[in-house]
Amino acid sequence: MVKPIDLRSDTVTTPTPAMRRAMAEAEVGDDVYGEDPTVRRLEERAAQLMGKEAALLFPSGTMANQAAILTHTQRGQEVLAEARSHVYGSEAGGMAVLAGCQPRLFYAPDGVPRPEDIEALLRPDDEHYPPTSLLCLENTHNMAGGTVIPVDRMQALAAAARRHGLAVHLDGARIFNAAVALGVDARDLAAPADSVMFSLSKGLGAPIGSMLCGSGEFIARARRWRKLLGGGMRQAGVIAAAGLVALDEMIHRLADDHANARRLAEGLADLPPLQVDLDLVQTNIVMCDVSAVAPAPEFSRRLAEAGVLALDVDRRRVRFVTHKDVNRDDIDRALAVIAGLVRGPVRA
Ligand code: TLP
């Protein structure tokens, strides 16, 4: 059987030979005692890349985001987040269950919030209202289609939050995609936020791991929450070693993923009645409205039968994500399969 073209997510990427070698040879120790030299090196490098004092390795982005929320807030407080953000919609209700916080949502159709969206939600100090303590941002914005928040907007949003005493956490799972697309340093996107999470295990291709970065004091407190969440790992240098390779070797090639996503998006836009908003295709994610052909779950099931894997994200939309394990030929083959599905039955 032919291997399917897997465009469900950049999380499906497998470690490179260089990562596997680095993992096999990693110098390790017990990281709960702070004795793993490879983890320490990765944490120093992550902090430096984000322009923060300190960083902490987590097994997942979800755990890192939740530890950040736990560190920034207290029970009974309110967290501002975009309506389709990962911290709100895709972390199993963690901010309510773990931090005891209530989300308050704003909607940014293109994933790029405006400072006035934030300010409109702020309320006076009154015993009826939960105190609002944190603004969460997401860059790139996954469910909006991998859209980027430019540096000046990040600054304006953080300034609005600060004026009202809110801390800012950036879910930068794909911050390097944003930086490459904008042609800026990731540090400049991270600077306006108090804390930033980024993933090693998505477009950068490492098998496991996300970093939480912030001030030394913030990271010391987050470390205790990581322990509580079960994220204190022992010889985690085996993971960190792949993370270091990811940061050294895999950032610059994200531009290829963006070019492939654009090619895919333009191909899909040429296949009516499929609909793609090309303006929103800015990085490695393509959202396609397939509802004129079939409900999205059925469309993605038929696509899978024909050898192309994609993710139905709601009833109308299917998400395609490009990454290092698919090349330009795969994109063209995927497009041929999709064309067949739109025009009539086909096989991969
Ligand atoms: N995103 C996954 C799914 O959970 C949707 C994906 O395939 O895109 N923040 C953002 C913006 C994310 O997209 C994700 C994962 C996370 C956080 C969580 O990271 P992990 O999967 O490491 O817990």
Side-chain angles (χ1 to χ4, degrees):
M1 181 166 154
V2 194
K3 197 165 162 275
I5 301 167
D6 196 344
L7 299 165
R8 285 172 301 171
S9 182
D10 45 12
T11 60
V12 304
T13 44
T14 53
T16 63
M19 287 177 191
R20 287 185 184 272
R21 271 197 305 278
M23 293 171 82
E25 289 160 14
E27 200 189 334
V28 296
D30 190 329
D31 184 51
V32 173
Y33 295 125
E35 289 173 4
D36 190 303
T38 312
V39 171
R40 283 188 168 187
R41 267 206 295 138
L42 174 64
E43 289 177 343
E44 276 163 28
R45 182 121 166 71
Q48 173 230 334
L49 280 170
M50 293 298 132
K52 304 290 181 202
E53 279 171 13
L56 196 57
L57 170 65
F58 280 79
S60 71
T62 300
M63 195 193 280
N65 275 337
Q66 292 303 321
I69 294 172
L70 282 159
T71 310
H72 279 301
T73 62
Q74 282 173 10
R75 190 172 172 74
Q77 293 184 337
E78 188 171 72
V79 175
L80 303 187
E82 206 278 331
R84 293 162 303 162
S85 61
H86 201 277
V87 285
Y88 167 67
S90 299
E91 300 192 1
M95 80 167 75
V97 176
L98 300 167
C101 283
Q102 171 170 295
R104 189 162 158 90
L105 305 177
F106 52 89
Y107 178 53
D110 58 357
V112 184
R114 300 166 308 168
E116 50 272 35
D117 298 333
I118 312 302
E119 284 180 313
L121 294 184
L122 294 163
R123 294 175 290 194
D125 187 6
D126 180 295
E127 68 179 12
H128 291 84
Y129 306 138
T132 311
S133 57
L134 179 65
L135 167 66
C136 291
L137 298 171
E138 187 172 311
N139 199 6
T140 66
H141 193 300
N142 183 355
M143 284 300 142
T147 52
V148 299
I149 309 178
V151 174
D152 56 350
R153 184 60 65 89
M154 289 292 301
Q155 289 165 343
L157 288 162
R162 291 240 162 73
R163 273 199 295 281
H164 299 277
L166 274 59
V168 179
H169 172 65
L170 172 60
D171 176 346
R174 297 184 179 83
I175 194 170
F176 291 109
N177 294 87
V180 166
L182 289 164
V184 302
D185 213 297
R187 201 181 276 118
D188 297 333
L189 293 169
D194 297 286
S195 58
V196 54
M197 181 283 278
F198 72 85
S199 293
L200 300 162
S201 58
K202 299 194 168 70
L204 302 186
I208 301 168
S210 287
M211 307 304 300
L212 180 64
C213 312
S215 70
E217 183 269 336
F218 175 86
I219 291 298
R221 290 194 294 122
R223 194 175 170 95
R224 179 160 300 169
W225 285 119
R226 183 183 70 171
K227 188 70 186 153
L228 179 145
L229 296 171
M233 298 180 283
R234 302 295 178 174
Q235 285 72 35
V238 172
I239 295 170
L244 281 162
V245 176
L247 294 177
D248 284 343
E249 297 181 4
M250 304 301 282
I251 295 173
H252 71 274
R253 60 152 308 288
L254 293 174
D256 297 345
D257 298 343
H258 299 178
N260 283 336
R262 170 108 329 238
R263 186 174 179 88
L264 178 64
E266 284 170 359
L268 293 171
D270 277 346
L271 288 174
L274 297 182
Q275 278 184 32
V276 177
D277 185 339
L278 290 174
D279 290 342
L280 298 183
V281 182
Q282 300 168 6
T283 55
N284 68 329
I285 298 180
V286 180
M287 290 287 185
C288 182
D289 187 328
V290 300
S291 58
V293 178
E298 188 190 323
F299 189 94
S300 66
R301 188 178 46 73
R302 279 159 57 190
L303 211 51
E305 284 166 9
V308 177
L309 306 183
L311 204 69
D312 43 290
V313 292
D314 52 39
R315 293 291 296 167
R316 306 179 68 89
R317 293 183 308 161
V318 170
R319 185 187 75 164
F320 300 87
V321 185
T322 56
H323 52 78
K324 74 169 185 66
D325 294 340
V326 288
N327 60 27
R328 197 180 147 124
D329 287 349
D330 295 323
I331 297 300
D332 290 342
R333 283 199 293 132
L335 275 169
V337 170
I338 298 163
L341 201 73
V342 171
R343 295 187 187 129
V346 344
R347 315 214 137 265

